[in-house]
Amino acid sequence: MSAALPLPLSRKTGLNWPLAAARPNAIALTAVVIGLLSLQWPFVVLHPNRVAPDGDELTVFGLGGMWAALIVSGWLLQALAVWLARGRVRAPALALSLAWAASASYAALTWGAVALSGDQEWARVAIAGGAWGTLAAVYIGAFALYAEAPRWLALPVLALAALAFAAPYQHLGVVMEYQMAADVFRDELLQHLLLVAVSLPPAMLLGAAIGLLAARKRALESVLLGAAGLLQTIPSIALFGLLLPIVGLGAKPAILAMVLYGLWPVVVNTHTGLGAVPPAMLDAARGVGMSAWQMFWRVELPLAAPFFVEGVRGAMLMLIGLATVAVLINAGGLGYFLLRGTEQAVPDLVLLGSLPVVALAFAADAVMRLLAWRLAPKGRVA
Amino acid sequence: ASGDAIVIGSKIDTEGALLCPLVGLTLKAHGIKVIEKCGTGATQVVRKALLAGEIDVYPEYTGNAPYLIKNVRFTPGTFRDAASGHAAGAAADLAQNGIVWLKPAPANVTYGFAMPAKLAAAQGITSLTQLAAYINAGKPFKVVVSQEFVDRADGLKAFEHAYGFKLAPSQLIILPGGNTAQTESAAARGTSGANAAMAYSTDGQLAAMGLVGLNDTGAAADIYQPLLTIRSEALKKYPAIPAIIEPVFATLDTATLSRLNARIVVGGEPGTKVAEKYLREKGFLK
Amino acid sequence: MTRSRIEAALALLCWPALWLVYRQEDWWRAVLAPLAGPDQPVLYERIQLLDAAQSHVLIVLTAMAFVVVLGVPLAILATRTAGKPLLPLIANTATIGQTLPPIAVLFLVTPVVGFGPQAMMFALFTYGLMPTVQATLTGWREIDADVRRAAEGMGMGPWRQLLTVELPLALPGMLAGIRTSLILSVATASLAPITGGVSLGTPIVSGLAVDNASQVMEGALAVALLALCSDYSMRVLQRRLTPWRA
Amino acid sequence: MISLRNIEKQYDGVQALRHVNLDIADGELVVLIGPSGCGKSTLLRTVNRMTEPSAGQIIIDGRNALESDPVLLRRSIGYVIQNVGLFPHMTVRENVAVVPQLLGWDKAKRLRRADEMLELVRLDPERFGSRYPGLLSGGQQQRVGIARALAADPAVLLMDEPFSAVDPITREQLQEELLRIQRDVRKTILFVTHDIDEAIRLGDKICLMRDGAVVQYADPDTMLRQPADAFVAQFFGQEPALRRLARHSVADFVRTDAASLAAAAKALNEGAASVTLTTGARTALSKLLDGQPLLPVVDHAGAVAGLVALADLTLAQTPAAASHVNRVLAA
Amino acid sequence: MISLRNIEKQYDGVQALRHVNLDIADGELVVLIGPSGCGKSTLLRTVNRMTEPSAGQIIIDGRNALESDPVLLRRSIGYVIQNVGLFPHMTVRENVAVVPQLLGWDKAKRLRRADEMLELVRLDPERFGSRYPGLLSGGQQQRVGIARALAADPAVLLMDEPFSAVDPITREQLQEELLRIQRDVRKTILFVTHDIDEAIRLGDKICLMRDGAVVQYADPDTMLRQPADAFVAQFFGQEPALRRLARHSVADFVRTDAASLAAAAKALNEGAASVTLTTGARTALSKLLDGQPLLPVVDHAGAVAGLVALADLTLAQTPAAASHVNRVLAA
Ligand SMILES: Nc1ncnc2c1ncn2[C@@H]1O[C@H](COP(=O)(O)OP(=O)(O)OP(=O)(O)O)[C@@H](O)[C@H]1O
Ligand SMILES: Nc1ncnc2c1ncn2[C@@H]1O[C@H](COP(=O)(O)OP(=O)(O)OP(=O)(O)O)[C@@H](O)[C@H]1O
Ligand SMILES: [Mg+2]
Ligand SMILES: [Mg+2]
């Protein structure tokens, strides 16, 4: 599980592309195509209640010609900007048209759809394929913009943030789910974070220790790496189940299992990191009279640190995802909503469970990459 | 159980999410310290927790006794009758495990089948007898069921026996660990061609999903009355519990449970809120 | 030489051996009996272990086929000069794919694709994409620039360069990533029964529902065996396909 | 004949090549030399269009290289890259046969060719042909690299610091090998190095570059004798004449007058060490410096061919100079 | 004074060192040279016990090194590793201060020391002190490596091919630097190289090894003049005398008799190029080879100090030999 390329570092990816050859046109145009195609699909679905299987499916045109016109013009402007805008106007034109398309879509989803729900007690608006497609288009468009003018990304982001603040959203199914279970949500989110926070440090320490041992003792290397890898192959639900009779219900077995799963990325990366310290460096360290301990602290550890952090990043992402399964043994976490949603057959509830997990993972990812970047040995630029 | 608090558990399903806070809130209202571990796990898990003393009480169903109480041979048919079933189960559980059964609620939570209302109306099916005829006529039928329903003696087999039909494997979509909301949602959506689902008689979401329940006209199934099971040690500590809980359970008939379940599943309200509202409504809580 | 022969033989033999082991339910019953409760069945009776295993393998292979067929070209595209701006997009999308809980994916796609193995295949696809894409990118990054230059200087066109030089040289990295994806998939495919698919997870999920430790163990053990076998085979394949890395 | 006309190359901001003009005659080995970053590799790579010049013309055998298909062009030009750049996933034989394969030769023919080339660079095809390059020593890899470049019998060979990664002894062997091969196959070679001795030893002509421009383009002797400016003089160091001597053999200095022949015969009889006509002039110089007053020279057959003494080993153009010295010293 | 007594080293199967005896006097720079794999690095590393000998004794200043704590021993011996081995995560200054820090010097003192050392190797501490090694050129890195080895003022310095990774021009500068530093600080240095010119230029003594055994241990002049066997002779190549000349300056050969002084003065007046007494003998030789019949020599102040001609530059031990040549030639 090697690193996803950190956004700010993608230029350093080593393939040495000529910098000038950035040509996101194709990507931006893909975004436009997906955005326009999405208009064909139902944008939202009006459900009479949260479990009703069917509902009125509405495309953007169904929401009102104005919204359709706004969104279509946004995408067309984007296409025009990609084709025609050159020089100093290009970046603002791209950013503006993307912001336009994104804002119009969001507005359609909020202001446009709010009228639908009316005053039926349990009626709600579910986000449908067209809206997801539009989201994908905006996401892709954002990366196209990022490739060309990263700073201008702020424009669509700010526009959406402002809209999120101003526009109504209470009619959306996910939001309704949240509002009905706000307290529970807060508790489970906290519990989720707690599970990750409690299981990560032992996984880190233990993983580092095992990785170190594997790097040091040739004889143990394959055994230790193999064992850590083997743990990965036990399905998480099975591990939870098997631990049940041993440690009982609740957070304890969940944390134990999570620690065991979290080991692998840390072990592998620590091992790789220590192995990647050039032998010449170790030779030099020994040669200047460092003891084994000093060598470890002053040379190996700093040099292996980026790998270790990479491993911790991997473990963290894995644990954030894994903690969703903990609910099966009554350990809570955001999996609660996944389980309830599955149980009650309510997609909105599943979304309420999964969206924060993805958001958490993204946040963790960003933080860890920043850390890895800070820890990378300086002056390696050659 | 820890300290002087009563630890409440429940099954990990909709009714568990309702009954658990219902018990908890009621006890709390009478000044009993309560720790809620709602949604403890699947039936066997909660039961084990109770036997191990990890929890003190949880809501069970009378008809489950043969599956929970090992090594006791109940006379066949015992659980077809509410009173005799409760008496037999309570006696056996107390004798064997020191678990006390409180008085059950006057509801019957039994298995049944549900079909899309449109289909049922078109085919004129309102009862399981008519369903059997429909099936035996070789008309398209595909039912989503849980593993447990297929495996248990009082599940699918009992229905097949009582109504005289036999489902081919291709007519079954079996979800291990599946619950009625899942099965019903699949039937309502027609996922994978399903047009029927295993259902409970107290499921509140059937109407909202556009399904109708086909109830057990031929009394094929045992009777499942909700009741609170409690460890006798805990009962000794708080002898007042039956007096507090039994009146509440007494108000829970099938229709009420169904309505309350609907609030949770259809309305999406948390079990605690539904329970609290109900208790206030009935005056158990001020 | 001999060592690689033995490895290849082992890798080839482990599959029929596994098949045999899955068929011998008596052995399983004997081993797992102590875990079962008093009147619980030791094994999951509804489906033969071997059938569950076949279905498991089918799910994994289908998902992996999509991962490879889509992930590798995507990663390669990102290594082309023209595809460079794709890189952050691909990396991020793969991250989402991997952190999205497979259970959530399962549930969200079931209404669309129906009950059965399809939902699991899709979830495995989103889950397994990232390791493959990442490792492919890494494999590419590690190709010696001089070798690439030599290929160009010999007069290889871009396609030929890709196929005869870059692809073989990135193979170790690619295979490592595919291996990781594969192992994760083998483990995660245990979730398939949740949406009506049959896999080695069926005894696990059912065992958990009825609190039958021996069934849980049955499934877990079977999955672990499958994973070990896959891992070993992949490793041998990796070595066979890259004989120059002696 | 390769003609580079007014070649310019800008990388964003950096002027890597400035107005380079260079004519390379057929069969000539031209060495490009200069400080690091002066543009040697860039210039070399314009010839097979690995680098596209920003301006200028490249004419190879009368055809404008910039108008031909670069891929086909490269197949017709041998290229030996710095650090070898062998394909690690192909055997030695496959590596050598790469260009023939690209050219669509049939299998038997290209394998035969590969083996021939391996023999040319003194690698036993039997022993090495089916090994992977990773298992060869640095010097062996270099040989394979040369064999690969020669395989399709290109008229032009580009070599970018081909011997920089090997130890001095191997390096000397490879240089000798190259000279031998060049005598046999006579290619037009552009050769980049930063080793002055290598440049002088190998180059028919040397092109000294600085900051992207050609400072001097001449044969080594001229370069050392008549450096165009102080930079050139400094670049070739304190001992230009000693360096020039490296290109001479004893035959260039031997005295064959009767007195010398007699003295040589006498010295030989007295058991003095001798050199042959093809002995390197520096070797003879070294022996003379060692205190032996004169060196008898014998020919290929062992017959006395003359005599060299220290005073003979001067590179002055006029033979008169030598006698002048003698007169001064004798005075 | 370092004494290696009967050192043996086996790696499983390989006899890396055979019965090595070596005495290194204080302040001497001894160069270890020999073919690749002959055991140079292994021998060097036995001295600071990076490699433990299988048998034998190592005595440094009368103390048995094999009985002292290896970690402390290493802190007392400077070590410059092949390819530098600077710590990439420490600044240049921190790199240099590593050993003082290990020795527990206080911070101010060790930073001051680091800056002194950087100045000693001609790196501006202001400019380079807080950079990371990755940003330095190869030559600069080598300097930092030397500064680091010298920082704790060890009496003994071990250098394992320290200059092998830099280009020839930088290499020459670094060699000069090392000689200058050695004049100033006078360490006992063991220096591994595979460059013969470097060995001759730097070594007070040269130790030629082969297959783990010492073949000859002598000063460079003796080594070149009297090679112990054919292997030694071959190893140092065809031009031993030319190589020996590299260690001499014009002062060793200048003629100062009246006739010569007069001739020199005359030549100077005529505008002939001159050399000084400290000019390298090879440079003078090169100028003479270039056709100038004689070179006037001037002293530090510019006054005429004598004259050299080609025939003077012989390394024969008996001065008689030179006149002998002249006689023969004049005949
Ligand atoms: N792809 C490139 N992009 C930008 N600048 C480049 C590129 N390639 C070379 N340069 C610059 O062009 C100049 C000449 O580079 P070149 O590689 O031709 O030098 P060189 O003489 O071969 O040096 P060396 O002896 O170090 O190999 C240098 O300043 C270098 O930094
Ligand atoms: N750690 C080791 N294990 C086994 N053999 C070794 C080890 N280190 C060195 N050798 C062997 O010992 C012999 C001497 O090695 P050493 O590194 O001292 O040679 P060297 O003269 O320094 O060579 P070079 O010039 O290539 O650096 C070689 O045959 C080498 O293969
Ligand atoms: Mg170059
Ligand atoms: Mg060495």
Side-chain angles (χ1 to χ4, degrees), chain E residues 11-12 14-16 34-43 82 160-161 192 194:
Chain E
Y11 290 110
D12 28 28
V14 184
Q15 180 88 18
S36 187
C38 69
K40 306 181 292 291
S41 299
T42 306
L43 183 61
Q82 195 167 353
D160 195 350
E161 307 202 14
V192 172
H194 58 228

Side-chain angles (χ1 to χ4, degrees), chain E residues 136-176:
Chain E
L136 304 186
S137 76
Q140 290 167 337
Q141 292 190 14
Q142 295 284 13
R143 283 163 207 261
V144 177
I146 295 172
R148 181 171 71 179
L150 288 171
D153 201 18
V156 177
L157 215 58
L158 307 177
M159 308 178 85
D160 195 350
E161 307 202 14
F163 307 148
S164 62
V166 291
D167 63 281
I169 294 159
T170 313
R171 189 168 187 150
E172 202 154 314
Q173 284 174 2
L174 286 167
Q175 289 169 356
E176 225 155 82

Side-chain angles (χ1 to χ4, degrees), chain D residues 36 115 165:
Chain D
S36 186
D115 285 2

